[in-house]
Amino acid sequence: GLNFSDVLQMASLEALGAQHNIAQNIYLIQVPGGLFIGYVMIPIMAGIVPFLWNSFLMYLIYVWAALPAPLLKLLKPFLPWAPESMEVYPTRNAEKGLEPMEVGLPWDYANNIIIPSVSFSMLFFCSSSVWKMCAATFWWSVFVYCYYRRGTRVHGG
């Protein structure tokens, strides 16, 4: 069998095949999942889904009152900014409950370090996946630039 030092020394065709397999698997993990899927899922899971869920709870508890009062009281803690009263949901509380999440720029620095590091670590492998990963990293950086340049723009700014 091969150990990792044999793979890095390229002592045989078996080692070259192992390098290619490692590089190909890293590429398949990163493209598109590691590079792009998170940026697509953020608006859905942190924007659309909470908006729909909170709107549903607001209507269910305060507009329709479609369940018995004890069940509505059980659901009320899941509604953000829910008041003490079961009768009135103030406008300000509804606005706060439907606010979008904060822009997560501080947490994205990990991706800005990890993704190029993974891409450039593939330069140690002899594989046809290396140039594909570098090209995907380039397109990722263009995508991220446009995503944050246009996607997080505030009205009037």
Side-chain angles (χ1 to χ4, degrees), residues 55-70:
S55 296
F56 171 73
L57 285 178
M58 287 178 197
Y59 274 95
L60 182 68
I61 296 170
Y62 290 100
V63 176
W64 302 325
L67 298 171

Side-chain angles (χ1 to χ4, degrees), residues 9-27:
Q9 292 176 4
M10 295 188 289
S12 66
L13 288 176
E14 186 180 11
L16 284 173
Q19 277 194 15
H20 175 72
N21 285 338
I22 292 169
Q24 180 70 17
N25 287 332
I26 292 172
Y27 174 76

